[in-house]
Amino acid sequence: MRKRKKLYLIGDITGVLAAFVIFIIPFLFMLTNSLKERKDANLLSLSWPETLRWENFVEVFQANNYQIVTAFKNSIILVIGSVILLIITGSMCGYIIQRRSDRTTGVVNALIMTGLMVPAAILPTIWVLQRLGLYKTMAGMILIEVALNLPFTIMLYRGFMNSIPLELEEAGYIDGCSRWKLYTKIVFPLLKPVTSTVIVIKAVTVFNDFTNPLYFLPGAENATVQLTLYNFMGQFESSYNLLFADVILITIPMLILFIFFNKRIVDGMVAGAVKG
């Protein structure tokens, strides 16, 4: 028993130290360099600055005529639109695929899971968006994010459907529920835990996406927060103090989201629990 407790203690200490090295030290590195002058920050050291330059954050806001404000607006619209569509389509698809067991459903499920392995083709996708009139539009970008993240979302919902007993649905049928009412009133409320997980994971994924907005949503007026990093990186010179200040600013929203929904995941698991 004592050996087991010592092993647990060693494991806990190792986990804390690993988390400190992986997460805390990089954050401190960015924070200290974001408060330095440009010359000192370009040395990329972990030393604390002699004078704290909080005006670096103000300069980041003012860069390119307050482009970061527009970028935050675009990113928030992109995240909200993508996550809502992912929850609606992912939960419905996961429900149907889990509850049906015919050959057609198996083929559809195989095609959907293939999306986890096959990368997006840039040029054909741009061609399709141009033909549909969705290239360089927020609606087109939302559809791209939904298409890329939908297979993983369906997999999450389908796996969670196993914990929902069929007896609940059968009781709903006996009470006269339609298929739609059965899903919205009985099944979907029980999906709170996995829905919270989808919100956190996919909001962070879409918010931190760099390459897809670069290809499918070009233009200064369409910039997302990740693309504002270009403002402080150049071919001949870079302002690492402003770059790290920008990184700190665009990290805060997702950090707040994770802290908030970290508790909601636990609450959703309790609310969605089913007694056997």
Side-chain angles (χ1 to χ4, degrees), residues 63-137:
N64 286 359
N65 195 23
Y66 296 92
Q67 187 185 45
I68 193 172
V69 177
T70 302
F72 265 111
K73 182 193 72 174
N74 292 335
S75 291
I76 291 172
I77 294 173
L78 180 60
V79 167
I80 293 176
S82 301
V83 170
I84 289 176
L85 283 179
L86 281 171
I87 291 173
I88 295 173
T89 56
S91 61
M92 290 182 178
C93 290
Y95 173 64
I96 295 299
I97 291 174
Q98 178 60 34
R99 290 298 188 245
R100 294 183 61 176
S101 57
D102 54 20
R103 179 176 295 181
T104 302
T105 305
V107 173
V108 171
N109 181 56
L111 292 174
I112 291 173
M113 292 303 104
T114 304
L116 292 171
M117 301 175 286
V118 179
I122 305 300
L123 293 180
T125 304
I126 291 177
W127 182 84
V128 171
L129 290 175
Q130 288 175 336
R131 291 296 182 274
L132 295 175
L134 295 174
Y135 186 56
K136 296 183 182 181
T137 66

Side-chain angles (χ1 to χ4, degrees), residues 7-29:
L7 288 176
Y8 287 156
L9 180 60
I10 293 173
D12 292 340
I13 294 174
T14 304
V16 171
L17 291 176
F20 184 81
V21 172
I22 296 173
F23 299 106
I24 304 301
I25 290 181
F27 182 80
L28 291 176
F29 174 79

